[in-house]
């Protein structure tokens, strides 16, 4: 599909459609889902995903918190912006503009994969550092040649306007999106989640958004900033993650001053979607410890 996803058609059966709204901020038309009342909690998905990745977690957290989950720039139903705006700094600025329009100051930020990097970036520059809980964090450069080759490959693909369409076309082959997701993440998720990912990766505009995000990031430079993030951070990583190796999360945890790391031995890259109820419990426990009843001193 060449055109962007259409809410009136593609969003007809989107999880929690009733919680969705569209907000103009920072030159973008954002798709945002909001639910619940209480301390504000911002949820940021990873590259190639959308609000749907929080579909089960969202209503569980909404019992005690005001939860805000946007589609990131270039992803799913959020429209507008440029390639330059898909950088880490660009996404941070765009999200700041969105939060200003929504009149929200997050008490904590939850991120998945690349969303953890955005969470740290935003939380670290706030007047009062914002605590972060991150699932399967993508915070370190790829090992070996991958550090240089992976972003370069994404940029080369973008130079070919047919590349996103080709990828999306392959993804629309029956069963291919599910096979791709399994290979890439080593996670098994429910049918609703698979249907959403199939719709996303089958759309060339969404694929282009994910590629521009990968091509615009410099994780080598970002990893050097990790010692400067002083907020409380709890990282949770799937031991069977095919996308981000466990060693990457371990190395990041060593660099973050106030960080704890929890390893879920049998989970893949989409650990928060594999066991969403447990993920919601972990997030709520983190909120209790570091937001509602913050401990004195750094996390141990």
């Amino acid at each position: 599909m060449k055109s962007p996803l259409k809410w009136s058609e593609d969003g007809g059966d989107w999880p929690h459609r009733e919680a969705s709204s569209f907000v103009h901020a920072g030159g973008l038309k954002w798709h945002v889902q909001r639910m619940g009342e209480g301390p504000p909690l911002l949820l940021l998905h990873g590259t190639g995903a959308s609000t749907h990745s929080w579909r089960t977690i969202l209503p569980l957290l909404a019992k005690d918190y005001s939860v805000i989950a946007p589609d990131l720039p270039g992803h799913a139903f959020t429209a507008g912006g440029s390639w330059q705006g898909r950088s880490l700094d660009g996404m941070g600025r765009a999200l700041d503009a969105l939060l200003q329009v929504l009149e929200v100051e997050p008490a904590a930020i939850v991120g998945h994969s690349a969303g953890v990097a955005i969470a740290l970036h935003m939380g670290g520059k706030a007047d009062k550092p914002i605590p972060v809980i991150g699932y399967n964090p993508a915070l370190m450069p790829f090992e070996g040649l991958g550090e240089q080759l992976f972003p370069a490959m994404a940029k080369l693909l973008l130079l070919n306007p047919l590349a996103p369409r080709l990828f999306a076309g392959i993804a629309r082959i029956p069963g291919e999106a599910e096979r791709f997701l399994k290979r890439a993440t080593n996670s098994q998720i429910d049918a609703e989640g698979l249907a959403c990912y199939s719709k996303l990766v089958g759309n060339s505009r969404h694929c282009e958004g994910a590629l521009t995000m990968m091509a615009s990031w410099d994780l080598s430079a970002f990893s050097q900033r990790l010692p400067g993030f002083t907020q409380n951070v709890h990282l949770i990583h799937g031991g069977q993650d095919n996308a981000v190796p466990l060693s990457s999360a371990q190395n990041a945890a060593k660099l973050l001053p106030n960080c704890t790391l929890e390893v879920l031995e049998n989970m893949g890259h989409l650990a928060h979607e594999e066991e969403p109820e447990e993920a919601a419990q972990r997030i709520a426990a983190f909120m209790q410890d570091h937001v509602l009843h913050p401990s004195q001193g750094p996390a141990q």
Side-chain angles (χ1 to χ4, degrees):
M1 294 182 184
K2 180 180 177 181
S3 61
L5 289 164
K6 296 180 180 178
W7 183 245
S8 59
E9 299 174 12
D10 303 297
D13 57 353
W14 208 249
H16 306 301
R17 179 183 171 89
E18 72 284 353
S20 291
S21 61
F22 287 86
V23 180
H24 291 272
L28 297 162
K29 182 182 179 182
W30 296 84
H31 170 234
V32 184
Q33 293 193 329
R34 302 185 69 178
M35 193 180 294
E37 296 183 359
L41 189 56
L42 178 63
L43 274 56
L44 302 177
H45 66 76
T47 310
S50 76
T51 57
H52 85 277
S53 68
W54 310 109
R55 60 194 174 280
T56 305
I57 294 174
L58 199 68
L60 296 174
L61 292 176
K63 296 176 183 178
D64 299 298
Y65 307 104
S66 174
V67 189
I68 305 101
D71 285 339
L72 291 177
H75 288 67
F77 299 101
T78 289
S82 64
W83 182 348
Q84 292 77 14
R86 310 281 163 78
S87 67
L88 177 60
D89 287 341
M91 285 198 169
R93 288 193 298 271
L95 283 163
D96 284 339
L98 172 65
L99 294 176
Q100 286 182 0
V101 171
L102 296 177
E103 298 182 339
V104 169
E105 294 183 7
I109 307 177
V110 182
H112 170 248
S113 193
V116 185
I118 303 173
L120 286 171
H121 173 72
M122 295 180 65
K125 65 184 180 61
D127 293 337
K128 181 180 179 182
I130 302 173
V132 169
I133 182 167
Y135 263 83
N136 297 76
L139 303 176
M140 306 290 291
F142 292 89
E143 296 180 359
L145 285 175
E147 178 180 350
Q148 289 80 33
L149 291 180
F150 191 74
M153 287 175 63
K155 290 177 182 177
L156 285 173
L157 285 172
L158 281 172
L159 292 175
N160 181 356
L162 295 178
R165 298 184 201 176
L166 178 63
F167 184 85
I170 294 173
R172 288 196 295 273
I173 297 173
E176 182 56 32
E178 181 177 353
R179 289 189 289 270
F180 170 77
L181 199 67
K182 177 61 179 176
R183 291 194 302 268
T185 69
N186 203 25
S187 288
Q188 290 188 345
I189 60 174
D190 61 21
E192 184 178 36
L194 287 173
C196 291
Y197 278 113
S198 294
K199 190 170 292 186
L200 293 175
V201 300
N203 182 271
S204 61
R205 191 64 62 87
H206 176 85
C207 293
E208 182 181 60
L211 282 171
T212 56
M213 184 175 177
M214 289 187 286
S216 303
W217 282 39
D218 183 354
L219 286 177
S220 180
F222 180 75
S223 64
Q224 297 177 27
R225 295 170 52 195
L226 294 181
F229 295 121
T230 60
Q231 66 264 54
N232 282 303
V233 179
H234 184 52
L235 301 180
I236 302 167
H237 204 85
Q240 305 302 314
D241 188 344
N242 281 350
V244 179
L246 175 58
S247 60
S248 175
Q250 292 170 330
N251 291 334
K254 292 176 183 177
L255 292 173
L256 290 162
N258 300 321
C259 179
T260 54
L261 172 64
E262 180 180 1
V263 179
L264 307 179
E265 295 292 348
N266 298 318
M267 298 289 101
H269 188 62
L270 302 178
H272 66 301
E273 295 190 55
E274 293 184 72
E275 294 185 349
E277 292 83 5
E278 292 189 15
Q281 291 173 6
R282 288 185 176 91
I283 295 168
F286 180 83
M287 293 290 288
Q288 286 289 330
D289 291 342
H290 299 296
V291 178
L292 304 182
H293 303 97
S295 58
Q296 298 297 319
Q300 300 298 320

